[in-house]
Each structure stands twice: as structure tokens, then as C-alpha cells.
């Protein structure tokens, strides 16, 4: 079995202290090289299915999107933003859908033609993960997010 060891990032606010686990030994410097200069305080996949690599990143308002692709041109997209700014619309025509748990939080998913969308919130952020992977693989990606300070 594999034992994960975590460090914690503490952010003090007037009303509360936010505690965010960050996997020890994660390659944060490599991750930061991929992201646009000044991007911090966001989540990045600590796990990606085999073959996926960073492709691009963009920011629209307070939302940040990170795109990964593989040699077969499959694309995984992770969008995140503060909950107060997060209004997401998902096409629900001709899709399977349901609810699952991501790290103990309720998440909504849809699946259409082999492409899965997973939507959830965590640590005051809203997330949308989209890609051509199975629902179980998408949950694994979602549960493996690392906080990049």
C-alpha cells in the first residue's frame, strides 16, 4: 500500500483559519514553472492519468483554467474560482448524470459520448473538471488536487 504524507498550509482570516493539506514531496517548483507568472493560491492536479501533460493555462476574471493533453489529443480541463464568482452551466441534453462524493463533499457529474464533467466545491472554491476519462478516474483526479501557494 502507499502512505501519503501531507504538510499543511495555514491561512489566517479574521473569522477563521483555513487549513489546506499539501502532499509532501510534490513537485511544486515544476508545477509553478508551467503556470503563468503570478498564479498562486490555486489547486493543481497531483495525479493525472498516464500520458497527460500541461498544455496551457488562462485566467478569465477570478476563474483559472488549466488544460492538459496527451499524445492522442485527448484534453482534460480543470477550471476553478471563488464560490462567490462561480456560476456554471452544463448542457444536460442527452446526458447521464448523478451525484457522487469528492473528498466527502457532494459533487455533480454528467457523461455524454464518453466525456465526463465533474462539478464540486472545496475550500471556498468551485471546480469543474472535464475530460474523456471514466467517472472513477475523474474523481481520482479531483481528490488528488494540490494547493499551490
Amino acid at each position: 500500500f502507499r502512505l501519503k504524507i501531507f504538510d499543511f498550509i495555514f491561512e489566517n482570516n479574521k473569522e477563521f483559519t483555513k487549513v489546506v493539506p499539501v502532499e509532501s514531496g510534490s513537485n511544486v517548483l515544476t508545477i509553478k514553472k508551467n503556470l503563468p507568472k503570478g498564479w498562486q493560491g490555486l489547486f493543481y492536479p497531483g495525479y493525472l492519468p498516464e500520458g497527460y501533460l500541461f498544455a496551457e493555462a488562462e485566467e478569465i476574471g477570478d476563474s483559472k483554467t488549466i488544460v492538459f493533453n496527451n499524445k492522442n489529443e485527448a484534453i482534460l480541463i480543470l477550471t476553478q474560482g471563488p464560490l462567490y464568482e462561480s456560476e456554471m452551466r452544463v448542457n444536460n441534453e442527452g446526458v447521464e448524470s448523478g451525484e457522487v462524493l469528492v473528498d466527502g463533499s457532494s459533487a455533480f457529474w454528467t457523461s455524454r459520448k464518453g466525456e465526463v464533467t465533474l462539478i464540486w466545491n472545496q475550500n471556498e472554491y468551485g471546480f469543474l473538471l472535464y475530460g474523456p476519462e471514466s467517472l472513477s478516474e475523474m474523481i481520482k483526479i479531483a481528490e488528488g488536487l494540490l494547493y499551490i501557494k
Side-chain angles (χ1 to χ4, degrees):
F1 72 94
R2 181 175 170 215
L3 179 65
K4 286 188 175 187
I5 300 174
F6 291 90
D7 291 323
F8 292 95
I9 296 172
F10 298 93
E11 291 185 25
N12 292 318
N13 296 311
K14 290 180 183 176
E15 294 102 25
F16 61 89
T17 298
K18 180 166 48 171
V19 180
V20 180
V22 179
E23 190 171 350
S24 295
S26 62
N27 200 343
V28 174
L29 292 178
T30 300
I31 292 169
K32 284 187 171 186
K33 284 182 190 177
N34 289 336
L35 298 173
K37 188 174 182 171
W39 273 33
Q40 58 189 15
L42 69 134
F43 291 84
Y44 192 94
Y47 164 79
L48 287 169
E50 188 174 336
Y52 282 94
L53 299 171
F54 173 84
E56 64 181 296
E58 70 176 5
E59 184 172 11
I60 299 174
D62 286 338
S63 292
K64 293 177 170 69
T65 298
I66 306 169
V67 179
F68 305 89
N69 59 22
N70 65 19
K71 64 182 179 185
N72 299 324
E73 298 182 16
I75 295 174
L76 280 174
I77 300 170
L78 173 66
T79 299
Q80 60 191 289
L83 283 176
Y84 68 87
E85 290 283 328
S86 297
E87 179 179 310
M88 297 179 196
R89 296 177 187 218
V90 179
N91 182 357
N92 61 0
E93 291 184 35
V95 300
E96 293 179 59
S97 64
E99 286 190 34
V100 293
L101 292 178
V102 171
D103 278 336
S105 296
S106 183
F108 176 75
W109 65 269
T110 64
S111 178
R112 182 172 188 247
K113 296 183 180 178
E115 296 178 342
V116 173
T117 300
L118 184 64
I119 301 169
W120 76 103
N121 65 56
Q122 173 183 333
N123 298 322
E124 300 178 24
Y125 286 85
F127 296 91
L128 185 145
L129 180 62
Y130 168 84
E133 299 295 326
S134 68
L135 178 59
S136 62
E137 194 75 350
M138 297 294 267
I139 292 169
K140 188 174 178 180
I141 296 167
E143 290 183 334
L145 293 182
L146 303 173
Y147 183 75
I148 306 300
K149 188 167 182 165

